[in-house]
Amino acid sequence: MDTIVINGGKQLIGKVRISGAKNAAVAILPAALASTEKVCLNNLPDINDIRTLVAILEDLGIGIRRRGRHALELNPAKLRSYAPSYDLVKKMRASYYFMGSLLARCGRAEVPVPGGCDLGPRPIDQHLKGFAALGVEIEQEHGLIKLFAKKMRGAHIYLDVVSVGATINLMIAAVTAEGRTVLENAAKEPEIVDVANFLNAMGASIRGAGTDVIRIDGVSRLGRVEHAIIPDRIEAGTFMLAAAATGGEVVVDEVIPKHLEAVSAKLREMGVTVDAQPERITVCREDKLLPSDLKTFPYPGFPTDLQPLAVALLTAAEGVSIVTENVFDGRFRHVDELKRMGAQIKVEGRTAVVEGGTPLSAAPVTATDLRAGAALVVAGLMARGETILSDAEHIYRGYEQFEEKLRGLGASIRRTRGRGSVLSRKTI
Ligand code: UD1
């Protein structure tokens, strides 16, 4: 168990460089094995989810050479298994992308039912419905999803829900299916465009990624590629919200401001100054925060991954803010922890009513998932005194050098690894 200790009450000031996008990288690494030739990836984030994926790929036989901290060279020709190991796959939800990539490469996959952040029920019925439409036989037994296709054929697939994972997984699988696949009601996240660009650079024929209709014309094989991952808009949004929460001034560097328009607009509504330049965004708060209602939606809406951080921020805005979570059921587990810090929040179904204005007070809290963990760090930065965050390892699945980057902005924050309590005992 890792712990993060934060001494809050300090403004964040300075510049922070944003890493490569986790949600693009966790799809692109599995997608690499759809090719049989060398794949070079740059701007990979140095996070635990990537370490897990590299371990899965190596376990499947893929040759991997590290080229520094953020780049890898893969040799997918060496693939020798279509069954990723349970011990590794259970660590992360995005391991479901091995279904699409193994189908594209060899028409066969046996993937354990995926793990990942607990955000309520997270079915994969749309992935499976799409695979079936491509002609894949599907069996589920002993905790494994077994997929087999003698030959995949392009199909017209209408997704009942807008799903990032299903859109990407079906796009990857369809790359080598015979004929044309049309994905309707596809998700439009920038990470989907990045995966499509990567696959196209390998020789795939995908058009329409970033819109709600994606057309894929199957090709017989994929070749070599060098690709750089796009910047992580969720990491960038985290630092933007943290800057506003601490009343500081932060330059969020090496980002694509277009990907952050929903966040910038919401911050401006709250009275925060947001200045977008071509590759950076400066966030500065001088005045009091204004309350604001917020609804999460698939891109280009306000991202659900930043909702926990927005709730933490809104505790500082005097007045009532209503936050509606439209993407996941049960994504309010951070609220109980924020209440331990004195936040006045009521949750009913998909809505949280935040009565802001009472300063947070430092407390021992627990990270229940990746983004909830980040939100509690931001809450700790806002609160005076020492906040001790347990189960902090969730954060390192998705944030590169989180406490180092925050320290670079002036935060007082440190991480202790492994077991042992850092809470001091009051003795009689
Ligand atoms: C991805 C992101 C995650 C983000 C989420 C929504 C990755 C690795 N993770 O997760 O950070 O919070 O998008 O932006 O990219 N659904 C179904 N059936 C399905 C698939 C999804 O009902 O087959 C539902 C989900 O339960 C959820 C909604 O669709 O309510 C959106 O989920 P989805 O976009 O698929 O999320 P993930 O791809 O898992």
Side-chain angles (χ1 to χ4, degrees):
M1 188 184 86
D2 287 6
T3 304
I4 290 179
V5 181
I6 307 143
N7 272 293
K10 295 192 175 79
Q11 292 175 317
L12 295 185
I13 294 173
K15 182 155 103 174
V16 60
R17 183 195 168 272
I18 298 307
S19 301
K22 164 187 166 287
N23 287 351
V26 298
I28 285 174
L29 269 172
L33 62 70
S35 174
T36 47
E37 292 184 31
K38 194 161 89 175
V39 174
C40 297
L41 295 176
N42 301 314
N43 202 34
L44 283 164
D46 186 17
I47 54 176
N48 285 345
D49 272 8
I50 296 302
R51 283 184 265 281
T52 303
L53 284 171
V54 166
I56 296 174
L57 287 163
E58 283 177 330
D59 190 51
L60 293 174
I62 308 295
I64 296 187
R65 263 204 6 227
R66 274 154 241 273
R67 296 195 311 193
R69 187 167 187 174
H70 299 111
L72 287 177
E73 198 178 291
L74 295 93
N75 181 357
K78 294 184 171 174
L79 180 74
R80 60 159 189 254
S81 163
Y82 55 83
S85 112
Y86 169 72
D87 286 340
L88 294 168
V89 163
K90 71 177 180 195
K91 293 190 184 173
M92 58 178 301
R93 186 165 173 78
S95 48
Y96 54 41
Y97 291 132
F98 283 102
M99 297 183 199
S101 66
L102 284 161
L103 281 170
R105 172 71 182 275
C106 56
R108 181 158 215 168
E110 281 189 19
V111 180
V113 178
C117 279
D118 179 7
L119 312 176
R122 295 179 78 178
I124 55 163
D125 57 304
Q126 299 302 305
H127 305 232
L128 299 181
K129 166 182 132 167
F131 292 143
L134 295 173
V136 177
E137 287 169 32
I138 304 167
E139 272 178 38
Q140 197 168 335
E141 56 177 8
H142 311 305
L144 285 177
I145 298 172
K146 298 181 176 180
L147 306 150
F148 174 74
K150 217 170 195 172
K151 193 170 192 65
M152 282 192 291
R153 288 185 210 284
H156 207 102
I157 302 165
Y158 181 87
L159 296 172
D160 301 324
V161 289
V162 178
S163 159
V164 175
T167 301
I168 293 180
N169 224 349
L170 295 173
M171 200 168 73
I172 298 171
V175 148
T176 59
E178 194 180 83
R180 175 170 288 188
T181 298
V182 181
L183 294 180
E184 301 250 22
N185 199 26
K188 297 183 277 200
E189 270 66 2
E191 294 74 23
I192 294 167
V193 179
D194 202 30
V195 179
N197 287 341
F198 166 73
L199 291 166
N200 282 341
M202 285 204 291
S205 173
I206 303 171
R207 282 174 300 135
T211 75
D212 53 12
V213 183
I214 303 180
R215 292 182 177 79
I216 305 135
D217 286 308
V219 296
S220 53
R221 56 184 296 280
L222 298 166
R224 64 168 52 209
V225 64
E226 174 139 11
H227 180 83
I229 310 288
I230 57 166
D232 195 313
R233 65 194 167 96
I234 304 299
E235 187 199 14
T238 299
F239 282 101
M240 289 168 71
L241 294 169
T246 60
E249 176 162 349
V250 173
V251 180
V252 183
D253 201 17
E254 297 188 34
V255 295
I256 300 173
K258 173 99 186 99
H259 294 171
L260 285 147
E261 273 175 0
V263 183
S264 299
K266 195 45 68 181
L267 283 173
R268 288 188 185 114
E269 256 178 60
M270 295 175 71
V272 178
T273 306
V274 180
D275 178 26
Q277 296 112 19
E279 285 181 7
R280 67 178 60 100
I281 300 178
T282 305
V283 176
C284 170
R285 171 160 78 89
E286 282 162 346
D287 300 323
K288 281 203 332 196
L289 274 178
L290 305 173
S292 177
D293 294 345
L294 183 154
K295 294 180 168 68
T296 66
F297 280 110
Y299 188 84
F302 192 92
T304 172
D305 284 349
L306 291 176
Q307 177 264 106
L309 291 120
V311 170
L313 171 63
L314 286 167
T315 65
E318 211 162 299
V320 175
S321 302
I322 297 175
V323 176
T324 311
E325 172 56 58
N326 287 309
V327 180
F328 288 108
D329 291 329
R331 193 170 199 173
F332 279 124
R333 291 180 65 193
H334 45 286
V335 165
D336 283 340
E337 299 303 301
L338 288 170
K339 281 177 162 174
R340 292 160 66 80
M341 300 177 75
Q344 309 282 314
I345 308 172
K346 272 194 207 125
V347 172
E348 251 181 53
R350 289 184 165 236
T351 302
V353 180
V354 185
E355 215 176 305
T358 316
L360 296 177
S361 105
V365 285
T366 303
T368 50
D369 65 67
L370 166 60
R371 306 301 172 186
L376 291 168
V377 169
V378 169
L381 294 170
M382 295 161 76
R384 285 199 187 274
E386 189 175 83
T387 292
I388 298 167
L389 175 68
S390 313
D391 292 356
E393 58 278 2
H394 285 293
I395 291 175
Y396 298 94
R397 280 194 37 226
Y399 287 94
E400 175 173 336
Q401 294 198 300
F402 195 45
E403 83 272 10
E404 287 89 340
K405 288 187 182 184
L406 286 168
R407 264 203 304 273
L409 297 172
S412 169
I413 177 169
R414 69 190 155 84
R415 175 187 185 186
T416 57
R417 292 171 201 249
R419 294 195 174 278
S421 171
V422 289
L423 294 173
S424 57
R425 277 262 163 79
K426 292 203 172 88
T427 45
I428 296 167

